[in-house]
Amino acid sequence: MVRRNSFRLPRHPASVGLARRRVRDHLADWGHASDDPALLDAVLLVSELATNVVRHGPLLEREFEVAVTALADGSCLIEVSDEGRVEPRLRVVTDVEEAGRGLHLVEGVAAAWGVWSRGAHGKTVWALVQTDDTPSHH
């Protein structure tokens, strides 16, 4: 069974913690244990993707959308959508830089990630989290 929940949050730094909490709560309600690696990874990914929107999203945009989908095989899909059309890209980051590591973290944690264009309505950045017992397709 596939379960999906989406919600909109104000484009504000406090929303990052709220996005984490809501994703954690939804996954827990759907049967993921609080120490489940997939739940922890999903919470980490939503934190990074929401932070990107808050930091780099369009200045006039007041809200962004977060969606969490629990798939039948136990994996989770995280989606964060905003009105911006600029696709996030992995940057080369030096050891002394404090910012710019978010997508490297996403790349390391997610089984797969990418960007879907929503045309005039911006983009959705998505990341797939697999459980240890999910068949891997690397």
Side-chain angles (χ1 to χ4, degrees), residues 2 8 16 18 24 34 37 42 54 59-61 68 74 78 81 86 93 98 100 104 106 112 116 118 124 128 133:
V2 174
R8 296 186 71 77
V16 175
L18 196 55
R24 185 186 303 119
S34 59
V54 169
L59 292 175
L60 298 176
E61 185 178 11
V68 55
I78 299 294
S81 304
V86 178
V93 184
E98 302 228 343
H104 288 278
V106 170
W116 292 317
R118 301 184 331 158
T124 298
L128 180 67
D133 52 355

Side-chain angles (χ1 to χ4, degrees), residues 13-127:
S15 292
V16 175
L18 196 55
R20 273 197 306 263
R21 211 161 26 252
R22 291 192 60 179
V23 166
R24 185 186 303 119
D25 290 349
H26 287 301
L27 290 173
D29 287 349
W30 297 337
H32 285 262
S34 59
D35 60 350
D36 179 347
L39 179 143
L40 299 173
D41 286 350
V43 168
L44 181 63
L45 289 168
V46 81
S47 183
E48 288 302 324
L49 297 179
T51 297
N52 273 355
V53 170
V54 169
R55 281 204 184 132
H56 306 295
L59 292 175
L60 298 176
E61 185 178 11
R62 289 193 290 279
E63 290 185 322
F64 64 98
E65 185 176 44
V66 176
V68 55
T69 306
L71 302 168
D73 65 0
S75 58
C76 306
L77 182 67
I78 299 294
E79 300 163 75
V80 177
S81 304
D82 70 78
E83 301 290 328
R85 295 191 199 168
V86 178
E87 289 197 10
R89 297 197 191 300
L90 283 169
R91 290 182 21 212
V92 176
V93 184
T94 64
D95 289 343
V96 294
E97 286 182 86
E98 302 228 343
R101 287 191 172 76
L103 286 180
H104 288 278
L105 191 139
V106 170
E107 175 100 349
V109 171
W113 73 278
V115 183
W116 292 317
S117 171
R118 301 184 331 158
H121 301 289
K123 66 178 175 307
T124 298
V125 182
W126 60 270

